[in-house]
Amino acid sequence: MGKKKSGQLEKAMIAFLLDLINGDMEKGSKDLLAVCKGYTRTQKYVLGMRPFCTLAHELYCLAQILLPEDVFRELEMPEYRNFLAEFVLWRRVNPDPDRSLWLGYPEELEVLNRIYEAPPARMILWQPQLDSPHLRPKERQNWFVHGVKWVDDYVDELWEIGVVGEHEQSI
């Protein structure tokens, strides 16, 4: 929202979150539809041949988690081409779906299966040359992903939790 010009998508997402806080499901339903409409203008992701608004689905799931059941029932599913009601109904029946690998690597590459099942890596942010007297105040607000440190820390974590064993040292 710090941009000079915020788009319809960003405004609709913030409005929906405010609607959740205020318990206004009538307005929340309209704002969730606006998220769907704004998403097609900014995103080009396609699931099969039909666009899929991941943001609207995430917001709908968040509402289901945060709201009491009676209030959540007042929230209408958007009727728009990129909101899949079938997926929402499936998520209600399967609130905690199986997240295991669908297709695993063969036994000689089992280490790759264990890496995919490991917890995700944590990004490490840093500010290079923060101590430099030549750094302007505006540049002190810039953060970057430390491209080496997060990888090193993640590999160390994989070793600690036993994802990567001694026989994989040469990989």
Side-chain angles (χ1 to χ4, degrees):
M1 297 308 297
K3 295 186 257 180
K4 287 182 181 177
K5 185 176 179 184
S6 297
Q8 177 184 357
L9 177 65
E10 292 88 1
K11 289 178 182 176
M13 289 174 59
I14 298 297
F16 178 78
L17 293 172
L18 291 172
D19 297 336
L20 288 185
I21 291 169
N22 297 326
D24 187 351
M25 295 304 104
E26 184 177 334
K27 188 164 178 334
S29 299
K30 291 176 185 173
D31 288 329
L32 193 57
L33 178 61
V35 170
C36 293
K37 289 179 179 179
Y39 190 79
T40 57
R41 293 186 180 99
T42 61
Q43 304 295 324
K44 302 297 180 209
Y45 300 114
V46 175
L47 181 65
M49 295 303 290
R50 186 173 174 187
F52 182 74
C53 182
T54 55
L55 297 173
H57 284 277
E58 291 165 359
L59 290 170
Y60 192 81
C61 286
L62 180 66
Q64 185 178 7
I65 292 167
L66 296 178
L67 298 173
E69 182 64 31
D70 59 326
V71 176
F72 175 71
R73 272 189 253 126
E74 296 175 22
L75 181 65
E76 296 176 20
M77 277 191 265
E79 291 184 25
Y80 200 70
R81 66 179 179 265
N82 62 8
F83 192 85
L84 306 179
E86 303 85 11
F87 179 68
V88 171
L89 297 174
W90 178 85
R91 284 286 298 174
R92 284 187 186 167
V93 175
N94 301 287
D96 190 25
D98 178 22
R99 293 179 184 90
S100 61
L101 291 174
W102 292 354
L103 181 65
Y105 283 93
E107 189 175 330
E108 60 270 10
L109 297 172
E110 177 61 25
V111 65
L112 297 175
N113 293 329
R114 293 196 311 261
I115 289 172
Y116 277 119
E117 292 173 343
R122 284 181 289 283
M123 294 288 140
I124 296 175
L125 299 177
W126 71 309
Q127 292 178 294
Q129 305 170 350
L130 191 58
D131 299 336
S132 171
H134 305 291
L135 200 62
R136 293 179 288 220
K138 188 173 184 176
E139 291 174 323
R140 292 185 183 278
Q141 299 173 11
N142 296 335
W143 289 84
F144 301 91
V145 174
H146 198 295
V148 175
K149 182 141 179 55
W150 78 265
V151 172
D152 289 345
D153 287 358
Y154 189 54
V155 170
D156 290 344
E157 182 182 346
L158 293 177
W159 277 95
E160 286 175 19
I161 63 175
V163 170
V164 181
E166 290 181 24
H167 67 281
E168 287 94 5
Q169 270 183 317
S170 60
I171 293 179

